[in-house]
Amino acid sequence: MTDMTERNRSENPEGETPQTRRTTRRGGGDPATRGRTTIADGVVEKIAGLAARDVLGVHAMGSGLSRTFGAVRDRVPGSSKAVTRGVKAEVGEVQTALDLEIVVEYGVSIADVARAVRENVITAVERMTGLEVVEVNIAVSDVKLPDEEDEEPESRLQ
């Protein structure tokens, strides 16, 4: 073979060798920015529900009626505890807003509990999802008194 034939096989017209062409990046940009991630409302609701329940002074989540239905559902074999009870999320592409309904223990400062719930929920949701939490609205629907029984219906099974 001639020197010219050897050169034509190993170089393109611009003088790049095959090794140079293989290292050229395709698609451009960071791989983490290629594509879109969507997070369902239910995912954010679960994270927020668990974070809110972790706060000292929160007795339960949801209104009396939803807690009663939830207690019945929790007794059904094979069902899981509704961690989203009392939580409503609106999730956008980069932001989320949350509404929580809580029951507090008697004797605690409602303002302090609400502040702690808000901080815990915002921290958990932003850390786990990367979404910006723009607001956490908290409605205190009841106070659990020390001598008050939980609103769980009696079981008819014996």
Side-chain angles (χ1 to χ4, degrees), residues 12 15 44 46 104 119 122 128 131 136:
N12 66 12
V44 174
K46 282 183 179 183
V104 298
E119 288 174 5
I122 290 170
M128 292 182 70
L131 296 168
V136 177

Side-chain angles (χ1 to χ4, degrees), residues 9 16 23 28 32 40 45 59 62 86 101 115 128 134 140 151-152:
R9 287 185 181 161
E16 288 182 333
T23 59
E45 289 170 355
H59 173 72
E101 189 172 359
R115 188 177 308 108
M128 292 182 70
V134 292
V140 179
E151 292 183 10
E152 291 186 19

Side-chain angles (χ1 to χ4, degrees), residues 112-135:
D112 290 345
V113 170
R115 188 177 308 108
V117 167
R118 196 170 279 114
E119 288 174 5
N120 209 34
V121 167
I122 290 170
T123 300
V125 170
E126 287 184 345
R127 181 180 54 83
M128 292 182 70
T129 66
L131 296 168
E132 177 191 4
V133 178
V134 292
E135 67 180 6

Side-chain angles (χ1 to χ4, degrees), residues 34-91:
R34 297 182 202 174
R36 200 172 104 186
T37 302
T38 57
I39 300 171
D41 293 359
V43 172
V44 174
E45 289 170 355
K46 282 183 179 183
I47 294 167
L50 290 171
R53 282 174 175 79
D54 282 345
V55 174
L56 195 63
V58 174
H59 173 72
M61 301 288 295
S63 66
L65 187 59
S66 71
R67 289 195 327 269
T68 301
F69 284 128
V72 171
R73 186 177 49 245
D74 292 345
R75 290 176 183 251
V76 175
S79 69
S80 61
K81 189 172 183 175
V83 295
T84 60
R85 187 182 318 142
V87 182
K88 177 67 180 133
E90 292 180 22
V91 180

